[in-house]
Amino acid sequence: MFRKLLDFPSNGIADLLHRLDSLFGCIYLKNSGEDIIAFSPEQYCISIQQQLFSYSRNHFTHYQKDKTNPSLNHFFNFTTQSAPKTQHTFQGGYMGFIDYNYASRQHIDANTKSQPNFYVGIYKTFIKQEKGQLFFYSLEDCAEAFFKFIQQLLATQSLNNQKFKLLSKCSATWTKSQYDQAFAQIQKYIKAGDCYQINLTQEFIGKANGSLLDTAENFWKLTDAPYSGYLKIDDFELLSCSPELFIDFETDRKITTKPIKGTMPRYDDPILDEQSKNTLIHSEKDQAENVMIVDLLRNDLSVYAETGSVKTPKLFNIESFKQVHHMVSEVTATLKSDVNPFEVLFTALPGGSITGAPKIRAMQIIEELESAPRGAYCGSLGYFNFDGTGSWNILIRSIQKYQDEVSLWAGGGITIASDCNAEYQECFDKVSAMLDLLNTWHQPQNEF
């Protein structure tokens, strides 16, 4: 592994990404507090409207389309060597995202957004931030030349002159009445025995110019989320402020998932904040929702796990974030020795915490009732090392921008015990701080 200190003062992740903007497939991941920035994948697969293509790099900045149609089973070529003891550390491998609808189409007939729905690149060159310094890493034969190229690129001021601005405020696409109608239909399905829980979400959209990356540092500071990230593919940008882990692929074939189900708002007043937390701790409704999803995930993982290895070491833990308290459980398992980690990830998506139960019927109801495809929201962003270790989040509290449209979503689990007004308010408890911040970039156009 080539490793060398970059002569560049760290002025924040967003500044670094701006300077690397000319490179294809720039991606940033924060996993367990470690900042990783990768770019210029050696090869990548991308799907737009269910058409999958692969491209190979023939220069630091140039790609050509591969002549043969890609096969994901062959694209993910994991080594059989035992994994090094470097959990939660990217050492070169696969990075990218899978959107909600791309994953749900494994199980149901689903529409997709007209933007990238799946993207994974083979990244052998990347930057890590270590103790305030930036280190260049590469597994490529051209590592020394690539280092010099990146060093020159970082020394050049970003040419991004069009600053991000909203042309129209980001606002809900549903009225309260439309939400009420969807909620009522879910209650009918539950009473008819179709489902136990449906994760109903709503979209907030606006029109925008410029790069979403301009907003990133503000959002990461606002949320302080453990599974933050950023990805740019041409005119598509994805900004993650997610607090939720989907699956950690650890050494010795161990996997961990930490579903979130149950939310209460934070307050500046410590007494009110503690009361809100205690309400969540003792909420039988939220515990019932949470255990449904835990059972669903245990079932999903058991297909690939060694018999008897699926455990639930933590149930109904309360984790506190900047805007909300969440109820979080933990499920662990040990994968069978012949299992492909990507197959485990892909077939377990979409995550049960953002569908409902039973899972396939829940996805069908979501497809019927929600106003638009979710896209990257409720999908997953993350990485695999070449040895199959890695970490993937659930893309909640996330913003996506494609061309001139920017959107974010929020929702919650609906059960027979749910109150419509409370569930509607929970959407805003989750998203209002991000929505308010996003709308500070609104600049009304002059009227003539």
Side-chain angles (χ1 to χ4, degrees), residues 226-227 242-246 258-260 353-354 392-394 396:
Y227 297 99
S242 178
E244 184 168 2
L245 169 71
F246 183 44
K258 295 178 66 176
I260 291 176
S353 65
I354 45 77
W392 294 79
N393 72 7
I394 292 281
I396 57 174

Side-chain angles (χ1 to χ4, degrees), residues 87-113:
Q87 295 183 20
H88 307 297
T89 299
F90 183 70
Q91 299 289 337
Y94 306 90
M95 282 182 164
F97 89 104
I98 306 166
D99 93 0
Y100 170 87
N101 305 102
Y102 188 84
S104 69
R105 282 180 65 94
Q106 299 174 88
H107 312 285
I108 67 168
D109 185 15
N111 293 316
T112 56
K113 285 186 177 293

